[in-house]
Amino acid sequence: MNADSSGLGEHPALADFLGVTGAKPRPSNGSDSSATLPIAPAQHPEYGMTTEQLSEAQRRFTTYARLRLTGTGHRDYSHGNRQAFEDMGLHRLIDELRDEIADSVNYLTFLDIQLSRWKTKLEEQA
């Protein structure tokens, strides 16, 4: 996590999301005062998940999303007592959202390529 471009540093909630154990938090901005969250296993069970496990996975992911708001989002879009989106015109907000959708499609494509490669390796091993 040394080449972290998200601006999150080694935040305990990021370690929680990633399932990293034994990591000592080193906040990038020196202002981390968040409570310690229980660190979940790095990997989910291969098959079979209780509703509670699903809920915990979702909690970890939404915690990560909130960290994006308070890390990179704060640095790039906070204007004191207001957020950048509040001053954006409707056309700019639509353009920004379309850019985010395009980025999401690209990341899903990257993931699909990796999943395809993984599936091929699994089939070769079978």
Side-chain angles (χ1 to χ4, degrees):
M1 287 193 291
N2 295 336
D4 177 34
S5 63
S6 66
L8 297 174
E10 292 182 10
H11 196 287
L14 178 60
D16 175 54
F17 169 70
L18 297 173
V20 176
T21 58
K24 294 182 180 179
R26 279 189 330 199
S28 59
N29 63 5
S31 64
D32 181 21
S33 61
S34 64
T36 302
L37 297 170
I39 296 177
Q43 297 179 354
H44 301 291
E46 289 184 28
Y47 180 80
M49 180 178 273
T50 67
T51 301
E52 291 78 18
Q53 289 170 318
L54 178 59
S55 177
E56 175 63 12
Q58 189 272 349
R59 181 201 63 80
R60 286 190 357 254
F61 194 80
T62 56
T63 296
Y64 178 70
R66 280 191 302 280
L67 287 172
R68 297 279 301 154
L69 286 175
T70 59
T72 301
H74 175 74
R75 187 177 57 251
D76 294 347
Y77 300 106
S78 179
H79 299 281
N81 63 351
R82 67 187 200 291
Q83 299 297 308
F85 79 88
E86 295 178 293
D87 296 327
M88 288 181 191
L90 186 56
H91 291 281
R92 173 148 183 231
L93 194 56
I94 290 170
D95 288 344
E96 294 282 337
L97 182 55
R98 292 183 77 196
D99 289 346
E100 293 300 324
I101 291 170
D103 288 346
S104 296
V105 168
N106 292 335
Y107 281 109
L108 287 171
T109 301
F110 305 157
L111 180 59
D112 183 60
I113 291 167
Q114 292 289 45
L115 287 171
S116 174
R117 291 174 179 167
W118 184 35
K119 181 181 176 191
T120 299
K121 285 181 183 178
L122 290 173
E123 288 171 345
E124 289 171 356
Q125 292 174 357

